[in-house]
Amino acid sequence: DIMILLTSSNPVVRGTAAHTLGFLADLNDKKVGQALMELLDDLESALLDPDESVRAFAANSMGLIGSKELIQKIKTYIVKETSARVKAELYGTCYRLGDKEALDPIIKILTKADEEVATPILNLIEDLIDRKQPPTMKSDAHRIKNILINLSMRIPIVANHAKALVLCLEKEFL
């Protein structure tokens, strides 16, 4: 039972369990998808985890598993969240599920981010490009590209990752 892993005393186990559920969504298998939908409440509980990585992985997986009906529920967690990284993941979930307005706060967080926060947000953007793309990704690609270019100049240590994402955006959407 996945609940055993999601409630483990070890935050690495909890985070890995939440993260793995998102990868299972990539299988595009109806039986797996139905089972995952039944686990959304368990993932929602993980949004209250004391460990920020567990909350971030749970938010990401909910976006991969869920549908637009989750957006309002996710927004209630955004208000309470204190971690910029987790807030970005929660906004990323809303964006992935169809809330075009959720891109603005991700960009705002990224614009102010240091390398510690920028790195997971770059991973989030990579995930948005590679898996269950948001409905407006194509129309937002140019804007995201410009933010990434600015980020690569502002924080040199993340420049290679940002530039690689620019290339992915250009290849896929521009």
Side-chain angles (χ1 to χ4, degrees):
D1 187 357
I2 193 74
M3 269 310 291
I4 293 169
L5 300 176
L6 285 171
T7 58
S8 167
S9 62
N10 185 327
V12 174
V13 172
R14 293 191 311 271
T16 302
H19 191 60
T20 300
L21 290 173
F23 281 107
L24 291 173
D26 290 341
L27 296 175
N28 289 324
D29 178 284
K30 281 190 174 193
K31 283 186 179 181
V32 172
Q34 186 59 38
L36 290 173
M37 291 298 288
E38 293 170 13
L39 292 171
L40 279 172
D41 288 341
D42 298 327
L43 277 172
E44 185 179 348
S45 297
L47 293 177
L48 298 172
D49 196 279
D51 188 273
E52 121 177 348
S53 291
V54 175
R55 296 192 310 275
F57 285 133
N60 183 274
S61 291
M62 288 179 80
L64 293 165
I65 295 167
S67 61
K68 65 182 179 181
E69 289 75 30
L70 274 179
I71 292 172
Q72 289 308 313
K73 187 180 279 194
I74 295 297
K75 286 182 177 183
T76 65
Y77 289 94
I78 291 170
V79 174
K80 301 172 194 172
E81 185 55 59
T82 57
S83 162
R85 173 185 172 208
V86 178
K87 271 191 187 226
E89 285 287 354
L90 289 164
Y91 281 117
T93 294
C94 291
Y95 180 59
R96 184 187 307 273
L97 296 176
D99 181 3
K100 179 179 175 48
E101 306 303 315
L103 179 60
D104 293 335
I106 296 170
I107 289 173
K108 186 175 182 180
I109 293 168
L110 190 56
T111 302
K112 296 178 180 181
D114 59 14
E115 77 178 70
E116 188 176 314
V117 174
T119 299
I121 296 175
L122 289 174
N123 291 335
L124 166 64
I125 293 170
E126 184 173 1
D127 201 54
L128 291 169
I129 293 168
D130 291 341
R131 304 164 74 197
K132 192 178 173 184
Q133 295 169 349
T136 60
M137 190 67 169
K138 184 173 178 64
S139 62
D140 293 330
H142 193 268
R143 184 170 168 220
I144 296 168
K145 173 187 169 182
N146 289 335
I147 295 298
L148 292 172
I149 290 169
N150 290 337
L151 180 70
S152 70
M153 292 185 281
R154 189 170 62 82
I155 308 176
I157 198 160
V158 301
N160 287 340
H161 192 181
K163 288 175 184 176
L165 292 176
V166 166
L167 292 174
C168 289
L169 284 169
E170 289 175 342
K171 180 180 176 187
E172 185 85 22
F173 304 106
L174 302 173

